[in-house]
Amino acid sequence: MLQKYSFYWVAKALLSHYWRHPWQTLFLLVGLSAGVGLWSSVQIINRHAQTSYSQANTLLGAQANYWIRSRAQQGIAQQTYIDLRRAGFRQVYPVVETEVSTGQGDPISIIATDLFALPVELFENYGNDSAPGSPSDWLAFIQPPYRSWVPQQLAKELDLKAGGALLLRDGRKLPLALIQSRPGQGRQILMDIGAVFALTNEPRFSYLAVGTISPAKLRRLESFLGDDMELVENQQHLDLAQLTQSLHTHLTAMSLLSFAVGLFIVFNAVRFSLWYRRETILNLRLMGVGVPVLSAAILLETLLWSVIGTALGLLLGIQLAQFLLPGLSASLHSLFNASLSGIIELEIDSVIKAWLITLFGLAWALAWPLYQQLKTDVLPASSTGVAIDSERRARRILTLGAAILVLVAAFLYPRIDNATNGFILLGLLLFAAAWTLPLILAGSLRLIALFLPAHSLFGRWLLSDGWSQMPALRTAIMALLLAMTANLGVGTLIDSFRGAFIGWLEIRQSADIYIRGTNIDLQQLLNSEDSSDWLADSHLRIGVTSRWRDRPTLIRGADTRAPDSLSFPLAQWLGDSSADALALWRTQPGSILANEQTHYLAGLMLGENVQLETDDGLRDYRVVGFFYDYGNPYFQFYLPFDEVAKRWKYAYSRGLALWLKPPSNDVDNPMQRAEDEIRKSGAQAGDWIRQAEIRQLSVKIFDRTFAITSAMNGLTLIVAGIALLASLLAILQERLPQFALWRALGVRYDEQLLVMACPLFIFVSVAWLLAIPLGALLSWILIHKLNIVSFGWSMPMRWQMAPAWELGMLVIAVVIFTLLLTVIQLRRRLPEALARLGTLT
Amino acid sequence: MLSIRKLTRSFAQAEGSLRVLDQLDFDMGMGSSVALLGESGSGKSTLLHLIAGLDTPDSGDIEILGQNLTGLNDSALADMRRTQVSLVFQQFHLIPTLNVADNIQFQAALCGRLDAAFETRLVGRLGLQSQLKKYPHQLSRGQQQRVAIARSLLHKPPLVLADEPTGNLDEQSSLEVMSLFSELVKNAGSSLLMVTHSREMAAFMDRSVLLHNGRLSEIDDVAKV
């Protein structure tokens, strides 16, 4: 009882500190909630994405275990579907997936089915709670003029209100909108199949989905299908999980870095809160409170902070996730055709994980300062002497730790074969650099001291003040170093990737027009009498989708003489030059070009034979070159057109590229003329796209993909800025009596500011200088190791100093801002400190 | 040297305003030394802070060497402190990151009045020759106060303000330090206004004044206080 009572008073005495020092409370909360918020936002997004992948096909049936598809990708005729239903296959229901362009040119996915044909379990899902609410809405959905069911997030992006109609690029409108979201719907608009047929003028289904079915019936269904159709297992969610794994690992790594930077604020706040309470702790010990009771009280405090920090962090995390999700969702849709729903749900395991990581962070931040505090003698020796020794010891321990991290990183380097290992390596290197920083800062002060004139007392004072600021600033400068390194490293990665991507687009998308519609008579277009007036060249490509090494794979047939085939950008080739390899591919039967992904992710080597499943059985092709294939998550092979047409009879058109002649007397506007001819061939708006538009769209997708990375990068830098501000304010509080003394000795504000600012600028400059090579190393590893093992894309690194200068300027601005805030605080609080000068110990 | 007229300073408190100094008048000649006595909370430290320009009076005037502090801005007050006034505190208040030599030179360096010969004499008289490379935390309390005294006198300020400079020392050390302090103040040609509770310390001064009810009164015989 007595123990419980004393525990209450000890806890009360310790916690009362936070009422008296609201700034520290605020910074502790900011550090915790920023770290946990950034980390949990990505966790929530990742979790949300994984749930969405597992529900990838739930919009039209999680039970769609199989799909019936046309081998030639020509869709399924209505009669086939009717025949199957008549034969008793009630588990089969039709699905149409198509894409339209909005008035602004943004692609929008539409999915449609015949709701009455859905298996009972699905019909209950869609017919009852998720379809339009009232019976009249329900009927309106399935009867002309129909309704389109638009997910909330998409409606928000398109600025589409309920009852409004989305205007398409060709001037037509979608049926009136009902704004409703459903897990698994993602960014797809759901419509009745009749509405889609009216829209596309193409009464064929994309595929037939098969619900729960017995093995015997499945075999019967397979035998029922003609040769031109195939029954394939629905592996969409498995593929998505596999394809997107690296992307999510990248995001997790970024969020862990943000958490670490946030933790530096916590570390500082905890350190200072213990420092301020050293008298309280010593007094409690003098009054007979034992270390176990003190430890228990501090443990209780830690638990309290962890709960509050987790709650605030999760609130922030949800907001951030909601802010970041639309961009990521759009990217995932563009890259992987994955749909994420716009509704974020917080799972209990995310809450528990967030709490555990908060607790871990707090315990990690608290352990060393608390140990130091509690092991201090009840009657301590000179605190300055202890602080100097402690700082020197801390520097040694950190440097030793850094050396160990570097050794582990060196051991790990040759073993990087996946994104997780790669990020562990990066983490080790970053923390090794951060832990070496105090030694480098100390070294820089010693170095400056060598160049100071012997008689310069002011210089010695300035440097000595640097030494005294170092313990307090150390962690903040470490956080700043991490944030700056990440900023430069990731910035260089994005910049390099963007440069490589745009350069690659210019070569790969050299045609003036790309046609992708399926209801166009391409031969008629190419063979029209006067096509030679405006058409310089063309490239008709065909392809089949397959699986190779358990991953979706595209096999394409290309015209080896087409302009874009002649300048195929190869990353690696057999022979002396890429031109030799391309010549080999054109002329030597059995030669194949493979994308880099097959090399880096599946281990395919130059000159090696790749075995592909053709209609005639397995055939070997010799790899003569690997081509760049940015943004493609799938494996891809290029064979000559005739080879694909011969070996895969259901190869289907993958589009036509047209190169136009320059304007001439006969045709003054070839583009206009070409588009007129394309229309005459049966094409509708959206079936073709101009070069400038497709490039713009590709770059837009690229930028959107990296928007979340840039956002995380920026937020991490802001958190580091807050860490710096928190440290400076803590220094101000800690050293206020000293500053008061300076004033009493006649030191002016400008001199005082100079003494405070100079060491800070020295430290920040050293951190910035260190961040430059570290950032370059980080981007080198990201580009040449992680990007390759994660995505299979290689690219040259483009290092530029301009971003480093910009970052330097930004950090200086942050430092000046924090100094200004500190000076304002100083002016406000100095009179009180001066008045207490005679009474302070 | 120091002239104070109708000085008033109040502090807001929960129970209302507390007038610590009330229309206080005081004068001090060049080279003189005065002990300022009074009960705890009588306003002795407040008076010292006002004279040093560390605090602002509600009303009244303070003149040091003919310069009125009223209306001086922050920088001017800082300049006045670094050149005309020295402060010595009970807690010494040395700069912990500078060694003893730098601490001693600090204020003299700030106002550009470093006198190497005087420094050698001062250091010698205070017995600090062997301590110059050490840092404050490596010294005893008595030694730290000697360093604070050396710092306050090296630039030969016209006025030294001391707030119980020996309050943190034992009796024997107090007497030694005080004896040295008063001697060195005289050698430097400075005036000394010293807050003290101790009659023994007050005895080192030329005259003593008592602060009571916000005003000063002369004490003819310190032993009777």
Side-chain angles (χ1 to χ4, degrees):
Chain A
M1 187 63 195
L2 186 67
Q3 188 70 8
K4 208 166 29 174
Y5 195 63
S6 70
F7 179 78
Y8 166 77
W9 281 105
V10 170
K12 188 178 173 183
L14 288 174
L15 286 172
S16 64
H17 164 83
Y18 292 102
W19 293 113
R20 296 266 303 140
H21 297 93
W23 273 102
Q24 271 184 38
T25 313
L26 181 71
F27 281 123
L28 190 59
L29 286 178
V30 166
L32 276 176
S33 45
V36 177
L38 286 171
W39 175 81
S40 62
S41 65
V42 171
Q43 290 305 308
I44 291 167
I45 285 176
N46 281 353
R47 178 67 199 250
H48 178 71
Q50 276 145 16
T51 309
S52 296
Y53 303 151
S54 65
Q55 296 173 338
N57 206 30
T58 55
L59 184 63
L60 291 176
Q63 288 79 10
N65 298 324
Y66 294 89
W67 291 340
I68 297 167
R69 290 197 307 210
S70 152
R71 286 182 194 275
Q73 301 288 313
Q74 287 172 338
I76 306 282
Q78 288 192 61
Q79 192 55 49
T80 308
Y81 168 60
I82 293 166
D83 291 346
L84 282 168
R85 296 286 288 198
R86 281 185 182 156
F89 295 107
R90 297 282 168 194
Q91 299 82 356
V92 174
Y93 55 96
V95 179
V96 174
E97 286 193 51
T98 188
E99 205 166 80
V100 291
S101 293
T102 64
Q104 284 72 42
D106 292 319
I108 298 289
S109 286
I110 293 177
I111 191 162
T113 191
D114 175 5
L115 291 179
F116 285 120
L118 291 181
V120 175
E121 65 273 20
L122 288 177
F123 182 78
E124 280 173 355
N125 264 349
Y126 289 88
N128 287 345
D129 64 329
S130 55
S134 70
S136 59
D137 281 348
W138 171 241
L139 282 173
F141 187 77
I142 56 169
Q143 284 180 344
Y146 305 108
R147 292 283 187 273
S148 46
W149 187 2
V150 185
Q152 282 165 354
Q153 183 62 42
L154 186 66
K156 200 171 149 192
E157 284 172 32
L158 297 171
D159 198 22
L160 184 65
K161 304 279 183 299
L166 182 67
L167 182 67
L168 301 182
R169 198 176 171 203
D170 58 6
R172 289 182 299 164
K173 285 181 175 174
L174 286 189
L176 299 182
L178 281 163
I179 315 294
Q180 289 210 41
S181 289
R182 181 85 195 153
Q185 186 178 1
R187 296 169 60 79
Q188 289 176 310
I189 294 177
L190 178 70
M191 284 165 58
D192 185 80
I193 211 134
V196 171
F197 283 166
L199 191 72
T200 58
N201 291 326
E202 199 183 354
R204 291 178 78 82
F205 305 121
S206 304
Y207 56 86
L208 298 177
V210 185
T212 311
I213 192 166
S214 67
K217 205 164 186 179
L218 185 69
R219 282 194 294 278
R220 199 160 72 80
L221 176 63
E222 204 164 13
S223 63
F224 198 86
L225 299 175
D227 281 350
D228 58 337
M229 278 184 286
E230 60 182 350
L231 183 71
V232 290
E233 196 176 353
N234 177 7
Q235 287 189 308
Q236 194 179 348
H237 67 279
L238 295 175
D239 288 343
L240 283 176
Q242 183 195 36
L243 294 172
T244 55
Q245 189 189 16
S246 292
L247 181 76
H248 292 298
T249 309
H250 273 69
L251 292 178
T252 303
M254 284 292 291
S255 73
L256 279 173
L257 179 70
S258 307
F259 178 74
V261 172
L263 210 57
F264 278 103
I265 303 182
V266 176
F267 192 86
N268 250 359
V270 164
R271 177 184 167 275
F272 282 114
S273 79
L274 283 175
W275 187 87
Y276 277 110
R277 289 183 287 179
R278 68 198 188 289
E279 265 183 57
T280 309
I281 290 173
L282 285 175
N283 282 335
L284 287 169
R285 289 177 67 189
L286 282 169
M287 283 186 276
V289 177
V291 168
V293 177
L294 269 172
S295 304
I298 290 172
L299 185 70
L300 172 77
E301 180 188 321
T302 309
L303 283 170
L304 274 176
W305 282 123
S306 71
V307 171
I308 297 169
T310 306
L312 290 175
L314 281 172
L315 280 177
L316 180 70
I318 291 171
Q319 294 301 316
L320 258 174
Q322 251 152 8
F323 169 70
L324 297 171
L325 190 66
L328 182 74
S329 177
S331 293
L332 285 167
H333 189 259
S334 308
L335 292 173
F336 306 106
N337 202 25
S339 290
L340 303 191
S341 76
I343 306 159
I344 283 178
E345 285 169 10
L346 189 61
E347 308 277 342
I348 186 70
D349 63 339
S350 298
V351 176
I352 292 170
K353 268 189 201 169
W355 180 67
L356 286 177
I357 197 167
T358 311
L359 201 58
F360 161 77
L362 271 168
W364 188 68
L366 198 70
W368 180 247
L370 182 63
Y371 167 74
Q372 282 187 313
Q373 197 81 69
L374 294 181
K375 85 178 173 85
T376 308
D377 295 334
V378 177
L379 290 173
S382 152
S383 63
T384 311
V386 170
I388 290 169
D389 289 345
S390 160
E391 179 58 16
R392 198 177 293 133
R393 202 166 45 245
R395 271 206 302 274
R396 279 197 203 124
I397 292 170
L398 284 173
T399 310
L400 185 70
I404 293 169
L405 293 187
V406 170
L407 284 177
V408 177
F411 173 78
L412 196 65
Y413 180 78
R415 291 164 183 78
I416 299 176
D417 56 1
N418 60 50
T420 308
N421 273 2
F423 279 113
I424 290 173
L425 174 88
L426 280 184
L428 290 170
L429 287 177
L430 284 177
F431 274 87
W435 288 358
T436 318
L437 187 66
L439 186 77
I440 296 170
L441 294 180
S444 62
L445 286 183
R446 285 199 189 96
L447 189 71
I448 293 169
L450 290 179
F451 294 101
L452 271 182
H455 60 273
S456 170
L457 175 66
F458 189 78
R460 287 203 298 279
W461 178 32
L462 210 137
L463 277 186
S464 75
D465 205 71
W467 286 106
S468 66
Q469 285 190 46
M470 199 193 288
L473 275 177
R474 191 180 62 202
T475 41
I477 301 290
M478 282 186 200
L480 193 65
L481 173 71
L482 285 184
M484 285 196 292
T485 303
N487 198 285
L488 285 175
V490 176
T492 303
L493 163 75
I494 296 174
D495 201 39
S496 302
F497 199 178
R498 204 170 194 277
F501 183 68
I502 289 172
W504 173 78
L505 275 183
E506 280 172 13
I507 300 171
R508 289 298 296 143
Q509 296 178 346
S510 62
D512 297 300
I513 294 178
Y514 288 88
I515 303 171
R516 57 182 176 182
T518 52
N519 49 352
I520 308 167
D521 190 342
L522 297 174
Q523 288 306 325
Q524 184 203 321
L525 176 70
L526 295 174
N527 299 333
S528 63
E529 278 178 21
D530 49 0
S531 66
S532 59
D533 292 348
W534 54 272
L535 186 63
D537 217 328
S538 66
H539 187 179
L540 179 65
R541 283 165 297 186
I542 54 171
V544 285
T545 50
S546 180
R547 291 188 83 79
W548 182 73
R549 304 252 171 117
D550 202 30
R551 204 175 171 117
T553 302
L554 306 172
I555 300 164
R556 296 199 176 212
D559 177 353
T560 55
R561 299 283 168 190
D564 53 350
S565 295
L566 292 171
S567 60
F568 222 113
L570 296 186
Q572 296 177 48
W573 52 82
L574 271 187
D576 294 336
S577 66
S578 64
D580 289 349
L582 287 175
L584 203 64
W585 174 61
R586 275 195 297 273
T587 55
Q588 194 170 74
S591 296
I592 196 168
L593 295 176
N595 66 359
E596 283 192 296
Q597 288 83 323
T598 58
H599 173 57
Y600 291 119
L601 304 182
L604 191 63
M605 304 301 286
L606 276 178
E608 194 182 333
N609 280 352
V610 55
Q611 208 167 49
L612 297 177
E613 195 175 338
T614 71
D615 293 347
D616 315 326
L618 291 171
R619 282 193 77 81
D620 283 342
Y621 294 96
R622 185 168 173 245
V623 179
V624 295
F626 291 113
F627 58 89
Y628 295 109
D629 197 8
Y630 297 133
N632 184 8
Y634 308 111
F635 292 144
Q636 186 162 224
F637 296 102
Y638 266 89
L639 283 164
F641 185 97
D642 294 340
E643 176 69 13
V644 174
K646 192 165 118 192
R647 305 288 175 203
W648 287 271
K649 64 179 172 180
Y650 293 109
Y652 54 95
S653 164
R654 300 288 301 187
L656 176 68
L658 302 177
W659 284 261
L660 306 182
K661 285 186 172 170
S664 64
N665 289 337
D666 294 337
V667 181
D668 60 345
N669 188 346
M671 181 61 77
Q672 186 64 51
R673 176 69 182 274
E675 289 183 335
D676 289 344
E677 293 294 335
I678 293 167
R679 272 190 212 96
K680 277 187 213 165
S681 309
Q684 295 172 352
D687 284 344
W688 77 92
I689 188 164
R690 293 182 183 185
Q691 183 197 60
E693 287 171 321
I694 196 169
R695 279 191 192 167
Q696 198 182 7
L697 195 64
S698 304
V699 173
K700 193 174 167 185
I701 291 169
F702 177 90
D703 288 340
R704 213 164 40 189
T705 305
F706 282 100
I708 185 167
T709 313
S710 301
M712 293 293 289
N713 227 1
L715 288 170
T716 306
L717 203 60
I718 290 172
V719 174
I722 296 172
L724 198 62
L725 177 64
S727 296
L728 280 177
L729 288 179
I731 286 174
L732 171 74
Q733 176 69 34
E734 188 178 329
R735 303 186 65 202
L736 205 55
Q738 275 184 48
F739 295 154
L741 171 72
W742 295 359
R743 299 288 297 152
L745 294 177
V747 175
R748 290 192 301 262
Y749 270 122
D750 54 340
E751 291 165 332
Q752 185 164 347
L753 185 61
L754 196 66
V755 173
M756 283 167 68
C758 271
L760 183 61
F761 277 106
I762 291 170
F763 294 158
V764 168
S765 303
V766 169
W768 177 76
L769 283 171
L770 200 59
I772 293 173
L774 274 174
L777 177 69
L778 177 73
S779 61
W780 190 90
I781 294 174
L782 282 172
I783 289 170
H784 295 301
K785 280 278 174 189
L786 270 160
N787 226 25
I788 283 175
V789 297
S790 304
F791 303 108
W793 305 330
S794 76
M795 68 198 75
M797 181 174 143
R798 274 163 47 116
W799 174 260
Q800 290 177 309
M801 267 310 282
W805 287 117
E806 283 164 18
L807 183 66
M809 293 295 117
L810 181 72
V811 170
I812 295 289
V814 170
V815 170
I816 290 173
F817 173 74
T818 51
L819 269 175
L820 278 176
L821 273 184
T822 315
V823 168
I824 291 168
Q825 278 280 311
L826 183 66
R827 289 192 88 116
R828 200 172 61 81
R829 298 175 61 184
L830 204 55
E832 185 199 337
L834 283 167
R836 297 183 65 197
L837 204 54
T839 54
L840 283 175
T841 50
Chain B
M1 147 88 253
L2 172 67
S3 170
I4 299 173
R5 291 287 168 271
K6 298 189 182 308
L7 190 69
T8 301
R9 179 71 170 105
S10 307
F11 293 101
Q13 290 193 328
E15 310 83 51
S17 175
L18 174 69
R19 184 169 287 195
V20 178
L21 304 177
D22 185 13
Q23 301 277 318
L24 181 146
D25 292 327
F26 179 63
D27 287 289
M28 220 180 130
M30 187 78 84
S32 65
S33 59
V34 178
L36 175 59
L37 292 101
E39 293 169 1
S40 290
S42 59
K44 303 184 295 293
S45 294
T46 301
L47 178 59
L48 240 58
H49 288 160
L50 287 167
I51 296 168
L54 297 172
D55 193 5
T56 313
D58 301 335
S59 62
D61 293 301
I62 301 170
E63 277 186 16
I64 297 173
L65 292 171
Q67 185 181 31
N68 196 326
L69 302 193
T70 313
L72 289 185
N73 65 21
D74 210 67
S75 291
L77 284 172
D79 280 339
M80 182 277 294
R81 270 197 301 277
R82 72 164 67 179
T83 54
Q84 317 290 355
V85 179
S86 250
L87 287 145
V88 182
F89 299 99
Q90 184 180 346
Q91 288 81 20
F92 330 131
H93 288 309
L94 300 176
I95 296 176
T97 53
L98 291 178
N99 65 22
V100 168
D102 285 344
N103 261 293
I104 291 173
Q105 290 178 0
F106 190 84
Q107 196 164 0
L110 276 183
C111 62
R113 280 194 214 147
L114 270 174
D115 179 341
F118 184 55
E119 184 185 353
T120 309
R121 263 189 300 159
L122 202 57
V123 166
R125 190 69 189 89
L126 285 162
L128 292 170
Q129 301 97 319
S130 58
Q131 315 294 332
L132 293 175
K133 295 288 176 198
K134 288 183 179 171
Y135 283 85
H137 69 272
Q138 296 168 312
L139 304 180
S140 70
R141 285 164 176 267
Q143 286 170 324
Q144 286 185 45
Q145 191 58 300
R146 284 164 195 244
V147 176
I149 289 168
R151 176 182 68 190
S152 70
L153 296 176
L154 183 57
H155 62 300
K156 298 178 187 168
L159 177 62
V160 177
L161 302 171
D163 195 351
E164 298 199 58
T166 57
N168 236 344
L169 305 178
D170 60 58
E171 198 176 342
Q172 184 58 35
S173 301
S174 296
L175 288 171
E176 279 175 26
V177 167
M178 197 57 229
S179 166
L180 271 170
F181 187 34
S182 55
E183 175 201 325
L184 291 168
V185 166
K186 280 195 166 44
N187 287 346
S190 306
S191 306
L192 171 64
L193 175 61
M194 182 178 78
V195 168
T196 184
H197 277 112
S198 158
R199 277 173 290 190
E200 286 79 10
M201 298 302 126
F204 284 96
M205 304 291 107
D206 297 340
R207 54 187 258 242
S208 297
V209 289
L210 178 71
L211 181 59
H212 184 66
N213 287 337
R215 298 202 178 185
L216 285 172
S217 53
E218 293 287 333
I219 303 169
D220 297 327
D221 186 355
V222 179
K224 289 180 182 171
V225 177

